[in-house]
Amino acid sequence: KSLPLKQLHRKDLFSWSVFNEERNIDFHGTLWVRETGNVLIDPMPMSEHDRNHLEKLGGAAHLLITNSDHVRDSQNLVESTGARCWGPVAEKGSFPVSCDEWLGEGDQPLPGLRVFAMEGSKTPGELAFLLENTTLITGDLIRAHEGGRLCMLPEAKLQDRHAAITSVKRMASLKDIETVLPGDGWPVFSKGAEALKQIVDRL
């Protein structure tokens, strides 16, 4: 059962969640509300209540997917909203859903949104999105299994531990990050850069 669409730390950001019993954490979808077209990121299935809420907020013009394990309910939402679908270019040859556009390191598909390619995770070129320099939205590699404390994907699931650590260090070097919204687990709403640095310090 999905948990309702909730406003986050900014009036233009919302999240909705589905509890994962295997990992004992919530999986989240993110909605960025914009005057020129709303953006869904790694969307979980939506209840009828949330679909109605989404419609009231203006539907969705874009749908961004961080990696092939976070396709989630993208196909259904693309069909119901008409959103343009964007996926990671490193998985272009094998991605499980059709995408209109592909994203990689340094891309800026929308004003205020910067793309990072994370290496060494479960899938090649996993994407992370930096919103207006202060809010980082992550897929699998950076997550949080307990409140207030970020962590890295378990080592057994990494393709390349050294590359993964390098990717996390890179994110930790971005001093302006205030908030981290992981696709899996607890969000960190303040001192995000510090929380990222703490992952590195524990490795």
Side-chain angles (χ1 to χ4, degrees):
K1 181 179 172 61
S2 67
L3 304 176
L5 200 61
K6 303 171 290 291
Q7 187 177 310
L8 298 176
H9 61 298
R10 294 171 36 150
K11 289 186 177 180
D12 61 348
L13 285 178
F14 294 80
S15 177
W16 73 106
S17 313
V18 173
F19 182 69
N20 181 270
E21 293 184 355
E22 181 184 350
R23 294 169 183 80
N24 207 38
I25 56 174
D26 289 328
F27 288 170
H28 310 286
T30 303
L31 168 64
W32 177 24
V33 176
R34 305 164 63 247
E35 284 187 9
T36 54
N38 296 342
V39 180
L40 296 168
I41 300 173
D42 288 353
M44 302 302 301
M46 280 187 156
S47 66
E48 184 178 354
H49 171 84
D50 283 349
R51 284 180 179 263
N52 291 336
H53 192 174
L54 177 63
E55 281 303 307
K56 288 177 183 176
L57 291 168
H62 306 277
L63 192 153
L64 279 54
I65 306 171
T66 58
N67 68 86
S68 56
D69 286 341
H70 278 210
V71 166
R72 297 170 167 176
D73 206 33
S74 295
Q75 191 67 51
N76 287 331
L77 284 164
V78 163
E79 290 172 3
S80 64
T81 64
R84 191 166 186 80
C85 189
W86 309 66
V89 68
E91 293 194 82
K92 185 175 181 178
S94 58
F95 209 60
V97 297
S98 176
C99 290
D100 301 293
E101 303 282 353
W102 301 96
L103 295 170
E105 177 65 33
D107 285 341
Q108 298 187 49
L110 301 165
L113 189 69
R114 182 179 170 194
V115 177
F116 292 86
M118 313 283 277
E119 302 302 333
S121 189
K122 282 194 291 188
T123 56
E126 175 185 314
L127 303 179
F129 302 111
L130 184 59
L131 178 58
E132 295 172 351
N133 294 320
T134 58
T135 296
L136 182 67
I137 302 167
T138 65
D140 267 323
L141 183 60
I142 295 171
R143 53 211 289 120
H145 290 202
E146 55 187 277
R149 179 180 165 112
L150 297 173
C151 63
M152 196 167 74
L153 187 70
E155 188 170 343
K157 295 190 175 183
L158 298 175
Q159 289 189 343
D160 182 330
R161 183 175 185 271
H162 176 74
I165 291 172
T166 300
S167 292
V168 173
K169 284 181 176 178
R170 215 166 131 237
M171 297 297 99
S173 73
L174 302 173
K175 305 299 184 187
D176 293 333
I177 294 176
E178 298 169 3
T179 300
V180 181
L181 302 177
D184 300 351
W186 295 88
V188 171
F189 289 116
S190 63
K191 299 182 179 179
E194 184 179 319
L196 288 162
K197 185 177 180 296
Q198 287 172 1
I199 304 177
V200 176
D201 292 342
R202 290 194 302 268
L203 292 171

